[in-house]
Amino acid sequence: MGQTLEESPKAPSATRERVFSGIQPSGASHLGNYLGAQVNYVALQDRYDAIYGIVDLHALTTIHDGDTLRSLTHDMVLDLLAVGLDPARCTLIRQSDIPEHAELCWLFDTVVPVSWLERTPTYKEKREQGVDNSNALLSYPVLQAADIVIYKATKVPVGKDQAPHLELSREIVRAFNHRYGPIFPEPQPVFTEAPVVIGTDGARKMSKSAGNTIPIFAAPDEIRRLVMSMVTDPLRIRRTDPGRPEVCNVCQLHRFFGDDFESIWDGERSARTGCVDTKKLLAERIIERFRPMRERREQLAAEPDYVEEVLRAGAEKVRPIVEATMAEVRAAVGTGPRRAAR
Ligand code: TYM
């Protein structure tokens, strides 16, 4: 026998396990998005039938200006193409182009107790941050479950912050299948080596809302400025104090930007190197890593119709999958016309 399906990039998509992930077009991609999720989006595109969504309906919970949302969605497609997603090897969709995501969300809403949603950690966090307490904010993880399982995807590359949402997705699938029969599989998260990237404050998860990000496509000088502002080991006050790489976020990030991170860590431990040296090196390595991607992004941005072409092709490609799932779902729940027996 030849290659196994897992090894063969040319295996027909109908027989390969499916991956889905979504990213909100709520601002520039940062190191957390990249190391925590996008690295795996790229890695999984050859081994699985991978579908990635720019989830503009989710972003509506925080972005309330149409022109802004449309242009952020466009920018996120450019980011994803630049980091290495290839429309010939995966499928890129804009969530709102597939209205059935919202239809399935509603059907899932009918099986989800409000208490499950109220106890979701991200809901509590967003409320504390002052995000409008809309019905959509509460139902946010229900739409996420619909995004994934409308494609019957079983693997979901995400950062650790999304683990509670994936747990909820599985609970929703169980509740729906319990009521209507075994329609959906239970999706599992797939994490990278960096499931939680800490921000420049050295304390909280890197996120746009915390204002502690390093955008991967920022200008080199901006990356230098942000890296130099990073909080390091709080107990290393003088240059001669030994550093603790385990608690220093700059040292932690070095793990992903070179094979020599252990010698960098030794330098910190013995105070041979200072925080400034370690930061300068990190900034240059980040700039170098993203330089080819930044150039690619600039080239793609110069082609005005390319992004829309990619999204149109993506929507067309997923149409049969969505129709098949929704026919099954509508038949089970009793919406739409009676279907002829097959
Ligand atoms: P979003 O748009 O906030 O983030 C996109 C991806 O980046 C990961 N991520 C991180 N990983 C590690 N460390 C960090 N500091 C960090 N910050 C962000 C996120 O975990 C995510 O994987 N709810 C989702 C979007 C979504 C979705 C879906 C995801 C909607 N539908 C279906 C998967 C499947 C979100 O807000 O991601």
mmCIF file of all heavy atoms in Angstrom, residues 10-56:
data_model
loop_
_atom_site.group_PDB
_atom_site.id
_atom_site.type_symbol
_atom_site.label_atom_id
_atom_site.label_comp_id
_atom_site.label_asym_id
_atom_site.label_seq_id
_atom_site.Cartn_x
_atom_site.Cartn_y
_atom_site.Cartn_z
ATOM 1 N N LYS A 10 -2.373 14.866 -0.836
ATOM 2 C CA LYS A 10 -3.308 14.834 -1.955
ATOM 3 C C LYS A 10 -4.531 13.962 -1.684
ATOM 4 O O LYS A 10 -5.335 13.725 -2.561
ATOM 5 C CB LYS A 10 -2.597 14.335 -3.215
ATOM 6 C CG LYS A 10 -1.507 15.288 -3.652
ATOM 7 C CD LYS A 10 -1.136 15.080 -5.100
ATOM 8 C CE LYS A 10 -0.137 16.121 -5.562
ATOM 9 N NZ LYS A 10 1.131 16.057 -4.819
ATOM 10 N N ALA A 11 -4.642 13.443 -0.459
ATOM 11 C CA ALA A 11 -5.792 12.591 -0.153
ATOM 12 C C ALA A 11 -7.086 13.374 -0.399
ATOM 13 O O ALA A 11 -7.150 14.560 -0.089
ATOM 14 C CB ALA A 11 -5.730 12.147 1.298
ATOM 15 N N PRO A 12 -8.093 12.729 -0.970
ATOM 16 C CA PRO A 12 -9.332 13.456 -1.220
ATOM 17 C C PRO A 12 -9.933 13.968 0.068
ATOM 18 O O PRO A 12 -9.936 13.268 1.079
ATOM 19 C CB PRO A 12 -10.234 12.404 -1.881
ATOM 20 C CG PRO A 12 -9.594 11.088 -1.648
ATOM 21 C CD PRO A 12 -8.151 11.322 -1.358
ATOM 22 N N SER A 13 -10.421 15.200 0.055
ATOM 23 C CA SER A 13 -10.825 15.833 1.301
ATOM 24 C C SER A 13 -11.946 15.075 1.998
ATOM 25 O O SER A 13 -12.025 15.077 3.212
ATOM 26 C CB SER A 13 -11.232 17.280 1.042
ATOM 27 O OG SER A 13 -12.279 17.303 0.111
ATOM 28 N N ALA A 14 -12.798 14.399 1.234
ATOM 29 C CA ALA A 14 -13.926 13.717 1.858
ATOM 30 C C ALA A 14 -13.473 12.618 2.802
ATOM 31 O O ALA A 14 -14.213 12.211 3.689
ATOM 32 C CB ALA A 14 -14.840 13.144 0.785
ATOM 33 N N THR A 15 -12.229 12.118 2.630
ATOM 34 C CA THR A 15 -11.798 11.017 3.478
ATOM 35 C C THR A 15 -10.839 11.485 4.571
ATOM 36 O O THR A 15 -10.415 10.707 5.391
ATOM 37 C CB THR A 15 -11.084 9.936 2.643
ATOM 38 O OG1 THR A 15 -9.998 10.560 1.965
ATOM 39 C CG2 THR A 15 -12.021 9.289 1.657
ATOM 40 N N ARG A 16 -10.466 12.753 4.564
ATOM 41 C CA ARG A 16 -9.542 13.230 5.591
ATOM 42 C C ARG A 16 -10.317 13.815 6.762
ATOM 43 O O ARG A 16 -11.386 14.396 6.592
ATOM 44 C CB ARG A 16 -8.625 14.303 5.008
ATOM 45 C CG ARG A 16 -7.500 13.694 4.215
ATOM 46 C CD ARG A 16 -6.426 14.708 3.919
ATOM 47 N NE ARG A 16 -6.875 15.728 3.000
ATOM 48 C CZ ARG A 16 -6.176 16.828 2.720
ATOM 49 N NH1 ARG A 16 -5.032 17.053 3.309
ATOM 50 N NH2 ARG A 16 -6.631 17.707 1.859
ATOM 51 N N GLU A 17 -9.710 13.679 7.948
ATOM 52 C CA GLU A 17 -10.323 14.273 9.130
ATOM 53 C C GLU A 17 -10.324 15.793 8.951
ATOM 54 O O GLU A 17 -9.417 16.345 8.331
ATOM 55 C CB GLU A 17 -9.488 13.890 10.347
ATOM 56 C CG GLU A 17 -10.282 13.846 11.622
ATOM 57 C CD GLU A 17 -9.412 13.396 12.794
ATOM 58 O OE1 GLU A 17 -8.418 12.679 12.573
ATOM 59 O OE2 GLU A 17 -9.744 13.784 13.918
ATOM 60 N N ARG A 18 -11.342 16.443 9.513
ATOM 61 C CA ARG A 18 -11.466 17.880 9.245
ATOM 62 C C ARG A 18 -11.038 18.728 10.445
ATOM 63 O O ARG A 18 -11.334 18.388 11.591
ATOM 64 C CB ARG A 18 -12.907 18.195 8.834
ATOM 65 C CG ARG A 18 -13.061 19.615 8.335
ATOM 66 C CD ARG A 18 -14.355 19.796 7.561
ATOM 67 N NE ARG A 18 -14.299 19.162 6.260
ATOM 68 C CZ ARG A 18 -15.321 18.520 5.694
ATOM 69 N NH1 ARG A 18 -16.466 18.424 6.320
ATOM 70 N NH2 ARG A 18 -15.194 17.981 4.504
ATOM 71 N N VAL A 19 -10.374 19.818 10.103
ATOM 72 C CA VAL A 19 -9.946 20.815 11.085
ATOM 73 C C VAL A 19 -10.728 22.087 10.820
ATOM 74 O O VAL A 19 -10.923 22.469 9.667
ATOM 75 C CB VAL A 19 -8.431 21.097 10.900
ATOM 76 C CG1 VAL A 19 -8.035 22.430 11.479
ATOM 77 C CG2 VAL A 19 -7.589 19.988 11.495
ATOM 78 N N PHE A 20 -11.182 22.745 11.898
ATOM 79 C CA PHE A 20 -11.727 24.100 11.736
ATOM 80 C C PHE A 20 -11.150 24.975 12.836
ATOM 81 O O PHE A 20 -11.020 24.549 13.983
ATOM 82 C CB PHE A 20 -13.265 24.130 11.854
ATOM 83 C CG PHE A 20 -13.806 25.545 11.687
ATOM 84 C CD1 PHE A 20 -14.133 26.035 10.430
ATOM 85 C CD2 PHE A 20 -13.921 26.401 12.782
ATOM 86 C CE1 PHE A 20 -14.560 27.355 10.259
ATOM 87 C CE2 PHE A 20 -14.347 27.732 12.624
ATOM 88 C CZ PHE A 20 -14.682 28.190 11.359
ATOM 89 N N SER A 21 -10.822 26.204 12.483
ATOM 90 C CA SER A 21 -10.569 27.187 13.527
ATOM 91 C C SER A 21 -11.027 28.556 13.052
ATOM 92 O O SER A 21 -11.136 28.796 11.844
ATOM 93 C CB SER A 21 -9.103 27.226 13.950
ATOM 94 O OG SER A 21 -9.027 27.912 15.206
ATOM 95 N N GLY A 22 -11.272 29.426 14.032
ATOM 96 C CA GLY A 22 -11.736 30.768 13.705
ATOM 97 C C GLY A 22 -10.873 31.801 14.395
ATOM 98 O O GLY A 22 -10.297 31.548 15.460
ATOM 99 N N ILE A 23 -10.786 32.962 13.761
ATOM 100 C CA ILE A 23 -10.051 34.075 14.373
ATOM 101 C C ILE A 23 -10.874 35.337 14.176
ATOM 102 O O ILE A 23 -11.434 35.559 13.097
ATOM 103 C CB ILE A 23 -8.617 34.189 13.792
ATOM 104 C CG1 ILE A 23 -7.781 35.219 14.548
ATOM 105 C CG2 ILE A 23 -8.610 34.476 12.297
ATOM 106 C CD1 ILE A 23 -6.280 35.043 14.382
ATOM 107 N N GLN A 24 -10.957 36.136 15.236
ATOM 108 C CA GLN A 24 -11.754 37.358 15.132
ATOM 109 C C GLN A 24 -10.959 38.442 14.402
ATOM 110 O O GLN A 24 -9.787 38.651 14.720
ATOM 111 C CB GLN A 24 -12.076 37.897 16.524
ATOM 112 C CG GLN A 24 -12.995 37.039 17.324
ATOM 113 C CD GLN A 24 -13.538 37.824 18.505
ATOM 114 O OE1 GLN A 24 -14.390 38.686 18.362
ATOM 115 N NE2 GLN A 24 -13.020 37.544 19.669
ATOM 116 N N PRO A 25 -11.618 39.156 13.506
ATOM 117 C CA PRO A 25 -10.940 40.280 12.860
ATOM 118 C C PRO A 25 -11.066 41.512 13.751
ATOM 119 O O PRO A 25 -11.735 42.487 13.399
ATOM 120 C CB PRO A 25 -11.719 40.437 11.547
ATOM 121 C CG PRO A 25 -13.108 39.985 11.895
ATOM 122 C CD PRO A 25 -12.971 38.937 12.959
ATOM 123 N N SER A 26 -10.442 41.451 14.928
ATOM 124 C CA SER A 26 -10.644 42.549 15.874
ATOM 125 C C SER A 26 -9.382 43.377 16.057
ATOM 126 O O SER A 26 -9.276 44.172 16.978
ATOM 127 C CB SER A 26 -11.132 41.993 17.218
ATOM 128 O OG SER A 26 -10.277 40.963 17.646
ATOM 129 N N GLY A 27 -8.389 43.180 15.181
ATOM 130 C CA GLY A 27 -7.162 43.970 15.270
ATOM 131 C C GLY A 27 -6.012 43.174 14.687
ATOM 132 O O GLY A 27 -6.199 42.046 14.225
ATOM 133 N N ALA A 28 -4.825 43.782 14.731
ATOM 134 C CA ALA A 28 -3.654 43.167 14.091
ATOM 135 C C ALA A 28 -3.263 41.866 14.785
ATOM 136 O O ALA A 28 -3.288 41.775 16.018
ATOM 137 C CB ALA A 28 -2.491 44.153 14.155
ATOM 138 N N SER A 29 -2.859 40.859 14.004
ATOM 139 C CA SER A 29 -2.374 39.597 14.586
ATOM 140 C C SER A 29 -1.143 39.882 15.438
ATOM 141 O O SER A 29 -0.266 40.649 15.051
ATOM 142 C CB SER A 29 -1.962 38.627 13.474
ATOM 143 O OG SER A 29 -3.067 38.172 12.775
ATOM 144 N N HIS A 30 -1.086 39.225 16.603
ATOM 145 C CA HIS A 30 0.056 39.430 17.500
ATOM 146 C C HIS A 30 0.753 38.110 17.798
ATOM 147 O O HIS A 30 0.295 37.046 17.340
ATOM 148 C CB HIS A 30 -0.394 40.151 18.780
ATOM 149 C CG HIS A 30 -1.535 39.481 19.498
ATOM 150 N ND1 HIS A 30 -1.387 38.300 20.187
ATOM 151 C CD2 HIS A 30 -2.846 39.824 19.622
ATOM 152 C CE1 HIS A 30 -2.544 37.954 20.723
ATOM 153 N NE2 HIS A 30 -3.461 38.850 20.391
ATOM 154 N N LEU A 31 1.842 38.190 18.556
ATOM 155 C CA LEU A 31 2.629 36.977 18.837
ATOM 156 C C LEU A 31 1.804 35.881 19.504
ATOM 157 O O LEU A 31 2.064 34.706 19.289
ATOM 158 C CB LEU A 31 3.809 37.325 19.759
ATOM 159 C CG LEU A 31 5.090 37.834 19.123
ATOM 160 C CD1 LEU A 31 6.151 38.027 20.204
ATOM 161 C CD2 LEU A 31 5.599 36.873 18.050
ATOM 162 N N GLY A 32 0.812 36.262 20.308
ATOM 163 C CA GLY A 32 -0.052 35.262 20.951
ATOM 164 C C GLY A 32 -0.859 34.504 19.905
ATOM 165 O O GLY A 32 -0.919 33.269 19.928
ATOM 166 N N ASN A 33 -1.464 35.240 18.979
ATOM 167 C CA ASN A 33 -2.231 34.591 17.903
ATOM 168 C C ASN A 33 -1.323 33.671 17.088
ATOM 169 O O ASN A 33 -1.700 32.555 16.735
ATOM 170 C CB ASN A 33 -2.827 35.619 16.920
ATOM 171 C CG ASN A 33 -3.790 36.585 17.549
ATOM 172 O OD1 ASN A 33 -3.699 37.783 17.322
ATOM 173 N ND2 ASN A 33 -4.718 36.088 18.363
ATOM 174 N N TYR A 34 -0.127 34.198 16.796
ATOM 175 C CA TYR A 34 0.764 33.452 15.909
ATOM 176 C C TYR A 34 1.281 32.181 16.592
ATOM 177 O O TYR A 34 1.079 31.076 16.090
ATOM 178 C CB TYR A 34 1.935 34.340 15.455
ATOM 179 C CG TYR A 34 2.878 33.604 14.548
ATOM 180 C CD1 TYR A 34 2.534 33.349 13.226
ATOM 181 C CD2 TYR A 34 4.108 33.124 15.005
ATOM 182 C CE1 TYR A 34 3.372 32.623 12.384
ATOM 183 C CE2 TYR A 34 4.959 32.407 14.181
ATOM 184 C CZ TYR A 34 4.583 32.163 12.871
ATOM 185 O OH TYR A 34 5.409 31.443 12.049
ATOM 186 N N LEU A 35 1.924 32.347 17.756
ATOM 187 C CA LEU A 35 2.554 31.183 18.410
ATOM 188 C C LEU A 35 1.515 30.237 19.002
ATOM 189 O O LEU A 35 1.739 29.033 19.076
ATOM 190 C CB LEU A 35 3.510 31.650 19.513
ATOM 191 C CG LEU A 35 4.717 32.476 19.057
ATOM 192 C CD1 LEU A 35 5.474 33.021 20.262
ATOM 193 C CD2 LEU A 35 5.656 31.637 18.180
ATOM 194 N N GLY A 36 0.377 30.787 19.417
ATOM 195 C CA GLY A 36 -0.642 29.956 20.071
ATOM 196 C C GLY A 36 -1.573 29.255 19.101
ATOM 197 O O GLY A 36 -2.135 28.206 19.435
ATOM 198 N N ALA A 37 -1.758 29.809 17.900
ATOM 199 C CA ALA A 37 -2.755 29.220 17.007
ATOM 200 C C ALA A 37 -2.304 29.171 15.545
ATOM 201 O O ALA A 37 -2.341 28.112 14.919
ATOM 202 C CB ALA A 37 -4.067 30.010 17.118
ATOM 203 N N GLN A 38 -1.856 30.292 14.999
ATOM 204 C CA GLN A 38 -1.600 30.335 13.548
ATOM 205 C C GLN A 38 -0.512 29.350 13.109
ATOM 206 O O GLN A 38 -0.580 28.786 12.017
ATOM 207 C CB GLN A 38 -1.242 31.767 13.123
ATOM 208 C CG GLN A 38 -2.431 32.709 13.256
ATOM 209 C CD GLN A 38 -2.063 34.175 13.064
ATOM 210 O OE1 GLN A 38 -0.899 34.524 12.896
ATOM 211 N NE2 GLN A 38 -3.056 35.049 13.094
ATOM 212 N N VAL A 39 0.466 29.112 13.982
ATOM 213 C CA VAL A 39 1.508 28.131 13.671
ATOM 214 C C VAL A 39 0.861 26.773 13.366
ATOM 215 O O VAL A 39 1.241 26.083 12.411
ATOM 216 C CB VAL A 39 2.491 28.026 14.875
ATOM 217 C CG1 VAL A 39 3.257 26.732 14.859
ATOM 218 C CG2 VAL A 39 3.438 29.207 14.906
ATOM 219 N N ASN A 40 -0.123 26.428 14.143
ATOM 220 C CA ASN A 40 -0.806 25.150 13.898
ATOM 221 C C ASN A 40 -1.772 25.217 12.712
ATOM 222 O O ASN A 40 -1.972 24.206 12.046
ATOM 223 C CB ASN A 40 -1.547 24.683 15.154
ATOM 224 C CG ASN A 40 -0.720 23.701 15.967
ATOM 225 O OD1 ASN A 40 0.325 23.229 15.500
ATOM 226 N ND2 ASN A 40 -1.171 23.397 17.167
ATOM 227 N N TYR A 41 -2.375 26.391 12.472
ATOM 228 C CA TYR A 41 -3.226 26.475 11.265
ATOM 229 C C TYR A 41 -2.382 26.045 10.061
ATOM 230 O O TYR A 41 -2.825 25.280 9.209
ATOM 231 C CB TYR A 41 -3.705 27.896 10.958
ATOM 232 C CG TYR A 41 -4.562 28.640 11.939
ATOM 233 C CD1 TYR A 41 -4.882 29.981 11.680
ATOM 234 C CD2 TYR A 41 -5.070 28.062 13.098
ATOM 235 C CE1 TYR A 41 -5.671 30.720 12.541
ATOM 236 C CE2 TYR A 41 -5.845 28.800 13.966
ATOM 237 C CZ TYR A 41 -6.135 30.134 13.687
ATOM 238 O OH TYR A 41 -6.899 30.885 14.532
ATOM 239 N N VAL A 42 -1.158 26.594 10.016
ATOM 240 C CA VAL A 42 -0.279 26.329 8.866
ATOM 241 C C VAL A 42 0.150 24.856 8.870
ATOM 242 O O VAL A 42 0.084 24.171 7.852
ATOM 243 C CB VAL A 42 0.953 27.271 8.890
ATOM 244 C CG1 VAL A 42 1.927 26.922 7.772
ATOM 245 C CG2 VAL A 42 0.515 28.729 8.784
ATOM 246 N N ALA A 43 0.547 24.368 10.044
ATOM 247 C CA ALA A 43 1.055 22.994 10.121
ATOM 248 C C ALA A 43 -0.008 21.966 9.741
ATOM 249 O O ALA A 43 0.306 20.923 9.173
ATOM 250 C CB ALA A 43 1.572 22.717 11.528
ATOM 251 N N LEU A 44 -1.253 22.258 10.072
ATOM 252 C CA LEU A 44 -2.300 21.243 9.869
ATOM 253 C C LEU A 44 -2.880 21.261 8.460
ATOM 254 O O LEU A 44 -3.615 20.345 8.079
ATOM 255 C CB LEU A 44 -3.426 21.422 10.894
ATOM 256 C CG LEU A 44 -3.006 21.258 12.367
ATOM 257 C CD1 LEU A 44 -4.181 21.515 13.304
ATOM 258 C CD2 LEU A 44 -2.439 19.870 12.629
ATOM 259 N N GLN A 45 -2.568 22.297 7.669
ATOM 260 C CA GLN A 45 -3.267 22.420 6.383
ATOM 261 C C GLN A 45 -2.938 21.296 5.392
ATOM 262 O O GLN A 45 -3.750 21.005 4.527
ATOM 263 C CB GLN A 45 -3.056 23.795 5.740
ATOM 264 C CG GLN A 45 -1.644 24.079 5.320
ATOM 265 C CD GLN A 45 -1.467 25.481 4.711
ATOM 266 O OE1 GLN A 45 -2.413 26.094 4.250
ATOM 267 N NE2 GLN A 45 -0.247 25.973 4.706
ATOM 268 N N ASP A 46 -1.780 20.653 5.545
ATOM 269 C CA ASP A 46 -1.463 19.569 4.610
ATOM 270 C C ASP A 46 -1.969 18.212 5.072
ATOM 271 O O ASP A 46 -2.175 17.327 4.264
ATOM 272 C CB ASP A 46 0.055 19.492 4.389
ATOM 273 C CG ASP A 46 0.521 20.638 3.515
ATOM 274 O OD1 ASP A 46 -0.241 21.032 2.610
ATOM 275 O OD2 ASP A 46 1.625 21.148 3.751
ATOM 276 N N ARG A 47 -2.106 18.072 6.380
ATOM 277 C CA ARG A 47 -2.476 16.740 6.890
ATOM 278 C C ARG A 47 -3.971 16.550 7.037
ATOM 279 O O ARG A 47 -4.464 15.438 7.160
ATOM 280 C CB ARG A 47 -1.794 16.498 8.240
ATOM 281 C CG ARG A 47 -0.300 16.294 8.079
ATOM 282 C CD ARG A 47 0.272 15.631 9.287
ATOM 283 N NE ARG A 47 0.294 16.531 10.434
ATOM 284 C CZ ARG A 47 -0.044 16.167 11.666
ATOM 285 N NH1 ARG A 47 -0.449 14.942 11.918
ATOM 286 N NH2 ARG A 47 0.021 17.031 12.645
ATOM 287 N N TYR A 48 -4.690 17.656 7.071
ATOM 288 C CA TYR A 48 -6.138 17.574 7.296
ATOM 289 C C TYR A 48 -6.869 18.372 6.235
ATOM 290 O O TYR A 48 -6.285 19.185 5.527
ATOM 291 C CB TYR A 48 -6.486 18.152 8.673
ATOM 292 C CG TYR A 48 -5.927 17.338 9.809
ATOM 293 C CD1 TYR A 48 -4.673 17.617 10.331
ATOM 294 C CD2 TYR A 48 -6.647 16.271 10.338
ATOM 295 C CE1 TYR A 48 -4.143 16.866 11.359
ATOM 296 C CE2 TYR A 48 -6.128 15.510 11.372
ATOM 297 C CZ TYR A 48 -4.878 15.813 11.884
ATOM 298 O OH TYR A 48 -4.360 15.061 12.897
ATOM 299 N N ASP A 49 -8.171 18.157 6.202
ATOM 300 C CA ASP A 49 -9.022 19.009 5.376
ATOM 301 C C ASP A 49 -9.316 20.236 6.251
ATOM 302 O O ASP A 49 -10.183 20.189 7.114
ATOM 303 C CB ASP A 49 -10.293 18.223 5.040
ATOM 304 C CG ASP A 49 -11.229 19.036 4.184
ATOM 305 O OD1 ASP A 49 -10.777 19.997 3.549
ATOM 306 O OD2 ASP A 49 -12.429 18.706 4.159
ATOM 307 N N ALA A 50 -8.531 21.285 6.054
ATOM 308 C CA ALA A 50 -8.560 22.406 7.004
ATOM 309 C C ALA A 50 -9.385 23.575 6.486
ATOM 310 O O ALA A 50 -9.187 24.027 5.358
ATOM 311 C CB ALA A 50 -7.127 22.856 7.300
ATOM 312 N N ILE A 51 -10.271 24.048 7.349
ATOM 313 C CA ILE A 51 -11.092 25.221 7.028
ATOM 314 C C ILE A 51 -10.843 26.261 8.121
ATOM 315 O O ILE A 51 -10.926 25.944 9.313
ATOM 316 C CB ILE A 51 -12.598 24.853 6.995
ATOM 317 C CG1 ILE A 51 -12.854 23.726 5.995
ATOM 318 C CG2 ILE A 51 -13.455 26.083 6.657
ATOM 319 C CD1 ILE A 51 -14.277 23.153 6.027
ATOM 320 N N TYR A 52 -10.529 27.480 7.709
ATOM 321 C CA TYR A 52 -10.288 28.550 8.680
ATOM 322 C C TYR A 52 -11.236 29.706 8.403
ATOM 323 O O TYR A 52 -11.411 30.111 7.249
ATOM 324 C CB TYR A 52 -8.829 29.013 8.609
ATOM 325 C CG TYR A 52 -7.870 27.888 8.926
ATOM 326 C CD1 TYR A 52 -7.022 27.368 7.949
ATOM 327 C CD2 TYR A 52 -7.852 27.304 10.189
ATOM 328 C CE1 TYR A 52 -6.165 26.308 8.230
ATOM 329 C CE2 TYR A 52 -7.008 26.244 10.481
ATOM 330 C CZ TYR A 52 -6.162 25.745 9.494
ATOM 331 O OH TYR A 52 -5.326 24.688 9.787
ATOM 332 N N GLY A 53 -11.850 30.202 9.477
ATOM 333 C CA GLY A 53 -12.846 31.254 9.320
ATOM 334 C C GLY A 53 -12.414 32.560 9.952
ATOM 335 O O GLY A 53 -11.894 32.570 11.076
ATOM 336 N N ILE A 54 -12.638 33.651 9.238
ATOM 337 C CA ILE A 54 -12.478 34.980 9.837
ATOM 338 C C ILE A 54 -13.863 35.293 10.387
ATOM 339 O O ILE A 54 -14.826 35.483 9.629
ATOM 340 C CB ILE A 54 -12.003 36.023 8.805
ATOM 341 C CG1 ILE A 54 -10.573 35.708 8.380
ATOM 342 C CG2 ILE A 54 -11.992 37.430 9.407
ATOM 343 C CD1 ILE A 54 -10.433 34.819 7.234
ATOM 344 N N VAL A 55 -13.968 35.279 11.720
ATOM 345 C CA VAL A 55 -15.301 35.249 12.332
ATOM 346 C C VAL A 55 -15.791 36.675 12.613
ATOM 347 O O VAL A 55 -15.757 37.162 13.739
ATOM 348 C CB VAL A 55 -15.325 34.330 13.578
ATOM 349 C CG1 VAL A 55 -15.139 32.866 13.165
ATOM 350 C CG2 VAL A 55 -14.243 34.692 14.593
ATOM 351 N N ASP A 56 -16.295 37.285 11.551
ATOM 352 C CA ASP A 56 -16.738 38.678 11.676
ATOM 353 C C ASP A 56 -18.013 38.803 12.518
ATOM 354 O O ASP A 56 -18.209 39.812 13.198
ATOM 355 C CB ASP A 56 -16.890 39.334 10.290
ATOM 356 C CG ASP A 56 -17.748 38.553 9.313
ATOM 357 O OD1 ASP A 56 -18.085 37.385 9.597
ATOM 358 O OD2 ASP A 56 -18.097 39.113 8.250
#
